[in-house]
């Protein structure tokens, strides 16, 4: 990290910040035409705990957060709730995203999903 920061110019840092602002504007515009976004929380089910990311490749550290980053960067409220389990027994997350300051809507939709859909109990590890 220190070596990368040494080559970082002020101009490059500001351009990065501008990209964050562009992402915020784009995500905000989406909610002019939709009430909520439902998506998987992650594009992968799981990866080994000792890996830093699914690929364990330092040059590709963020693939597993691709579905959450736009909302985090644009300050949109989001919830991740369990919507089932993979064959491996790992949980699968459903992400519910609302418009900025729409926290109550996200919580209401999360509650509604949980009341409409029956999610099996969490599996217990084999003894």
């Amino acid at each position: 990290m220190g070596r990368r920061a040494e080559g970082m110019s002020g101009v490059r840092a500001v351009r990065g910040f501008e990209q964050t602002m562009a992402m915020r504007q784009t995500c905000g515009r989406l909610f002019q035409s939709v009430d909520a976004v439902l998506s998987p929380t992650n594009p992968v089910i799981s990866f080994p705990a000792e890996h830093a990311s699914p690929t364990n490749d330092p040059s590709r550290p963020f693939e597993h957060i691709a579905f959450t980053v736009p909302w985090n960067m644009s300050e949109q409220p989001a919830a991740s709730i369990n919507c089932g389990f993979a064959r491996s027994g790992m949980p699968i997350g459903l992400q519910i995203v609302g418009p900025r300051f729409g926290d109550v809507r996200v919580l209401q939709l999360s509650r509604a999903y949980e009341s409409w859909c029956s999610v099996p109990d969490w599996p217990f590890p084999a003894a």
Side-chain angles (χ1 to χ4, degrees), residues 79-103:
S80 177
I81 58 177
N82 184 11
C83 67
F85 298 92
R87 283 188 211 114
S88 65
M90 296 301 291
I92 298 172
L94 168 67
Q95 179 177 225
I96 300 174
V97 185
R100 196 161 182 220
F101 307 115
D103 304 64

Side-chain angles (χ1 to χ4, degrees), residues 10-24 73:
V11 171
R12 189 167 174 205
V14 168
R15 284 190 181 136
F17 183 71
E18 288 172 353
Q19 291 300 312
T20 299
M21 297 310 291
M23 187 182 305
R24 178 180 289 178
M73 300 301 282

Side-chain angles (χ1 to χ4, degrees), residues 44-125:
V44 297
I45 293 176
S46 68
F47 55 93
E50 56 276 358
H51 288 191
S53 69
T55 62
N56 205 29
D57 179 352
S59 68
R60 295 176 41 214
F62 301 118
E63 282 83 5
H64 63 295
I65 60 172
F67 296 163
T68 58
V69 166
W71 316 117
N72 291 334
M73 300 301 282
S74 62
E75 300 176 347
Q76 311 286 135
S80 177
I81 58 177
N82 184 11
C83 67
F85 298 92
R87 283 188 211 114
S88 65
M90 296 301 291
I92 298 172
L94 168 67
Q95 179 177 225
I96 300 174
V97 185
R100 196 161 182 220
F101 307 115
D103 304 64
V104 171
R105 179 183 299 169
V106 169
L107 293 172
Q108 289 170 332
L109 289 169
S110 298
R111 172 90 167 117
Y113 178 87
E114 289 178 333
S115 67
W116 295 331
C117 300
S118 174
V119 176
D121 291 332
W122 288 87
F124 289 96

